[in-house]
Amino acid sequence: MRLPDAPFASDYVRLVPFDPGVHASQLRDMAERSGERLATWPFYNPPGDWITPWTKTIRQRTEAGTLRPFAVLMPDGRFAGMTAYLNPNTDWRNVEVGMTIYAPEFQGGIVNPACKRLLLANAFNAGAIRVYFHVDERNTRSRRAVLKLGATQEGILRHNRILPDGFLRNTVVFSILAEEWPKVRDRLDARLSDGGRAP
């Protein structure tokens, strides 16, 4: 499994490598407008500056090869959010899709299914046998979104993360297998042709 290099593009979104020097200010603006929508975001820790340490983590993990972050851009160039491949394992041919966050005006529409269509296609075309998702148990919106993709819930990891505010997080694990990808792909294509709405 060798994940391709960005940029990735479709008629709906463009994914480019996330550059903290370029995109951190846009990320900060998006976070400030999102407010409590980020309550379950694992890096969210107001009222202090939580963006600076987060972007430092992005840079460190990217250099270590455990993170492939992308800025999500609209066709007209507007910054819509970010998403990433995490912990790619070439031996096991597994990769996580996560660290996904969108500006409020792009939530619930075509952006998320368009991003997932690109990320999943590239992963499975590269030889992945399993793509998985880790979601905070409290984040019902994201859990519903992952299920809409056609992913299978595998279980819950109890207290597997300590968040910056000290909260002990339970993480719900979902996955899509290579043999399930054609059905998921067709479902995503149908959603995109219908403006992002789930069938």
Side-chain angles (χ1 to χ4, degrees), residues 12 110 113 117 183-199:
Y12 311 101
I110 206 164
R117 177 63 170 85
K183 184 175 180 180
V184 172
R185 179 194 60 212
D186 292 347
R187 182 184 178 94
L188 278 169
D189 287 344
R191 284 180 66 183
L192 293 172
S193 66
D194 194 31
R197 291 183 290 272

Side-chain angles (χ1 to χ4, degrees), residues 17-175:
F18 185 91
D19 181 345
V22 174
H23 300 116
S25 61
Q26 295 169 302
L27 185 66
R28 183 184 300 276
D29 174 69
M30 182 190 70
E32 289 174 353
R33 288 188 292 110
S34 298
E36 285 303 310
R37 288 173 180 261
L38 296 179
T40 61
W41 183 246
F43 304 95
Y44 183 62
N45 192 26
D49 175 17
W50 57 278
I51 295 289
T52 298
W54 179 28
T55 53
K56 181 180 178 182
T57 297
I58 291 171
R59 184 178 285 110
Q60 290 173 337
R61 290 196 60 183
T62 301
E63 291 172 354
T66 62
L67 180 68
R68 296 271 303 277
F70 308 104
V72 180
L73 305 179
M74 300 304 289
D76 61 6
R78 285 178 297 162
F79 180 82
M82 73 170 297
T83 190
Y85 289 128
L86 299 95
N87 304 312
N89 189 307
T90 56
D91 293 329
W92 297 347
R93 293 160 58 192
N94 277 221
V95 64
E96 179 184 354
V97 168
M99 202 178 275
T100 301
I101 182 171
Y102 303 117
E105 63 268 29
F106 296 113
Q107 294 179 9
I110 206 164
V111 171
N112 187 56
C115 288
K116 294 300 190 291
R117 177 63 170 85
L118 287 170
L119 292 169
L120 290 167
N122 284 316
F124 287 118
N125 290 343
I129 61 172
R130 177 176 178 267
V131 176
Y132 61 97
F133 308 83
H134 284 179
V135 181
D136 189 312
E137 184 181 36
R138 299 168 296 166
N139 192 341
T140 55
R141 183 188 185 99
S142 290
R143 290 172 63 180
R144 286 195 302 266
V146 174
L147 288 172
K148 271 187 194 178
L149 295 174
T152 296
Q153 181 174 321
E154 296 181 338
I156 299 177
L157 305 176
R158 299 182 300 162
H159 288 186
N160 77 308
R161 293 187 68 169
I162 303 175
L163 300 188
D165 63 359
F167 182 81
L168 296 175
R169 171 178 135 162
N170 294 337
T171 299
V172 187
V173 182
F174 303 85
S175 70

